[in-house]
Amino acid sequence: VPSATPPCLLGSSGENRSLSRKFRSHHASPSPLSRAGVRAASYGERPQARCTATAAPRLAQMKLFLGWLSCYVLSLCLLRKMMWSGRYLRSPVTRSLYASMMSQGEAAYWKDNQEWYMCDTEKLCESLKPVFIQSFLDDGTRVFLHRSIEKSGWLSIQLYHSVMSSLFSMFMSRTSINGLLGRGSMFVFSPEQFQRLLRINPDWKSHRLLDLGAGDGEVTKIMSPHFEEIYVTEMSQTMIWQLQKKKYRVLEVDQWQKTGFQYDVISCLNLLDRCDQPATLLKEMRTVVEPTQGRVILALVLPFHPYVENGGKWETPSEVLEVKGNVWEEQVNSLTEVFQAAGFAVEAVTRLPYLCEGDMYNDYYVLDDAVFVLRPV
């Protein structure tokens, strides 16, 4: 029978016994811990203790982040005061009961919104009294309000918008954030209100429209059916992307005055109080609007508080318009002098709400607008 001792261990008996013990000890079945170490070594893994020491700080950081995120989401949910309304009721019976209760107050709700359009004509100057147009809450405005209320209830979307806005606000303006997220659309007038202001019918057509500071183009869309060519300007790059998606011709903010042609209608909606040189802007519009039949439709938020948004910061414009008065009617009277100095006469004026889509905290936002139709003189 061959010897079980390897040839390399052959020698004296004492030496053989010692080496034999070492050999058996080396090749004995490893403990479970040893097996784990062997498997780790065979697959190129690090030892267990080492992995635990490295992963511990990462695990703590992950727990901290998840805790912060959970608290942030919970706080947003708690602040959503109007979240539980009829659009969250799933049972047909409860929905019908809710609709029955709300229908009693809906008429009063819309009646309160009629205050957005009220004007004390006795306080208007003599030149504005005959050209004031009384507006009212129409179907087009109701559609925008209902859509805004519905969107504000999309909890997951609103959470996403809130988190992203907080992150991007460190290096982007609010306008650019809205353009990037595709939210915050504005509403100035409905198609019917636009037609009443310009005294045109639904089939009226003209050649060129220039919309200065067009934003995401949603207000441009209301005016566009009446024009063959539509030009827009916008400073925010993310808003320019939105305008290009709608196939509008985007002009540089310093090139629309140098195209070599004139525009039949120029819209300047809530831009005069947000640009650096409002007086210069008025004069430039006067030079490029068609001199006989051309019109400028201009909206301005009152009370008048001008500032320029620059990378998330608010700065004072280099030109300041002299707008006097405390109430809406007094400031409208003062603006007629500003327009006359730029070469315009007021052909029509009305009071409209300047609406914006809401968020988790409000169904929509509203400011007071004075909307003018200006004729070159």
Side-chain angles (χ1 to χ4, degrees):
V1 178
S3 174
T5 305
C8 63
L9 298 182
L10 294 177
S12 65
S13 60
E15 185 179 356
N16 286 346
R17 284 195 298 272
S18 175
L19 291 174
S20 180
R21 283 196 297 269
K22 290 181 181 179
F23 179 83
R24 287 196 300 270
S25 175
H26 179 74
H27 289 279
S29 297
S31 66
L33 182 60
S34 300
R35 288 195 185 100
V38 171
R39 283 197 301 269
S42 63
Y43 286 95
E45 296 179 4
R46 295 178 179 272
Q48 182 86 24
R50 227 170 173 187
C51 288
T52 305
T54 305
R58 296 179 181 176
L59 184 61
Q61 292 174 358
M62 181 62 69
K63 288 181 178 178
L64 183 63
F65 173 75
L66 291 176
W68 171 84
L69 185 61
S70 300
C71 293
Y72 183 79
V73 172
L74 180 61
S75 64
L76 291 176
C77 293
L78 292 175
L79 288 172
R80 179 68 173 99
K81 298 178 182 179
M82 301 300 294
M83 185 176 67
W84 302 110
S85 63
R87 57 185 178 272
Y88 294 96
L89 301 177
R90 296 291 178 260
S91 169
V93 176
T94 55
R95 288 187 68 89
S96 62
L97 289 174
Y98 179 84
S100 177
M101 290 188 301
M102 293 304 294
S103 62
Q104 300 176 6
E106 186 173 358
Y109 172 77
W110 294 122
K111 183 179 179 181
D112 291 341
N113 288 352
Q114 295 291 352
E115 296 180 0
W116 295 340
Y117 306 89
M118 299 304 294
C119 170
D120 187 354
T121 55
E122 294 301 320
K123 294 182 180 180
L124 294 178
C125 62
E126 293 302 321
S127 63
L128 291 182
K129 287 180 180 179
V131 298
F132 177 77
I133 297 176
Q134 180 61 60
S135 298
F136 54 88
L137 185 68
D138 62 359
D139 291 338
T141 309
R142 284 191 178 95
V143 168
F144 179 85
L145 289 173
H146 282 304
R147 187 170 66 245
S148 297
I149 293 171
E150 181 182 3
K151 284 185 176 182
S152 70
W154 297 348
L155 187 59
S156 59
I157 299 298
Q158 297 301 337
L159 282 172
Y160 168 75
H161 286 165
S162 181
V163 173
M164 291 298 101
S165 296
S166 300
L167 294 175
F168 291 137
S169 62
M170 295 183 288
F171 53 89
M172 292 178 67
S173 67
R174 179 62 55 183
T175 301
S176 296
I177 294 172
N178 289 340
L180 182 64
L181 299 177
R183 64 172 301 276
S185 290
M186 305 294 187
F187 183 92
V188 180
F189 41 62
S190 66
E192 293 76 18
Q193 290 167 343
F194 174 71
Q195 293 162 14
R196 288 186 68 216
L197 279 170
L198 287 182
R199 297 184 177 92
I200 58 177
N201 57 56
D203 299 326
W204 180 81
K205 295 286 184 181
S206 191
H207 191 36
R208 292 191 186 97
L209 167 69
L210 171 64
D211 190 7
L212 298 173
D216 62 357
E218 289 300 311
V219 181
T220 315
K221 189 189 299 184
I222 292 175
M223 302 180 286
S224 60
H226 296 285
F227 300 92
E228 298 172 0
E229 298 178 7
I230 302 162
Y231 300 87
V232 296
T233 69
E234 179 56 54
M235 292 190 66
S236 169
Q237 184 59 51
T238 58
M239 287 297 185
I240 290 176
W241 296 340
Q242 297 290 338
L243 293 168
Q244 290 172 338
K245 289 180 183 178
K246 295 178 174 68
K247 307 301 182 182
Y248 297 139
R249 305 182 187 185
V250 181
L251 302 177
E252 297 292 336
V253 293
D254 57 350
Q255 294 297 318
W256 59 272
Q257 317 92 323
K258 306 170 185 178
T259 57
F261 49 77
Q262 296 175 321
Y263 304 93
D264 299 287
V265 173
I266 299 177
S267 59
C268 181
L269 306 176
N270 301 300
L271 177 63
L272 211 60
D273 58 343
R274 294 294 177 265
C275 68
D276 186 55
Q277 297 177 310
T280 301
L281 177 62
L282 284 170
K283 294 176 181 178
E284 289 176 338
M285 286 191 290
R286 174 63 184 83
T287 61
V288 296
V289 68
E290 204 281 324
T292 57
Q293 300 297 322
R295 295 294 182 267
V296 171
I297 182 166
L298 185 145
L300 189 60
V301 173
L302 299 179
F304 184 65
H305 295 296
Y307 70 84
V308 180
E309 187 179 18
N310 184 11
K313 298 180 180 179
W314 294 1
E315 299 177 354
T316 303
S318 60
E319 294 180 358
V320 179
L321 298 180
E322 294 294 332
V323 180
K324 305 173 184 177
N326 298 317
V327 298
W328 188 89
E329 292 82 359
E330 292 174 352
Q331 293 201 349
V332 166
N333 293 337
S334 177
L335 283 166
T336 60
E337 300 176 4
V338 174
F339 299 146
Q340 287 174 359
F344 290 105
V346 178
E347 189 171 79
V349 61
T350 190
R351 183 173 185 170
L352 291 173
Y354 181 30
L355 299 168
C356 176
E357 288 180 348
D359 48 28
M360 289 190 62
Y361 317 110
N362 293 282
D363 291 334
Y364 54 84
Y365 293 92
V366 59
L367 296 170
D368 281 327
D369 247 357
V371 184
F372 300 86
V373 176
L374 305 179
R375 170 176 52 86
V377 294

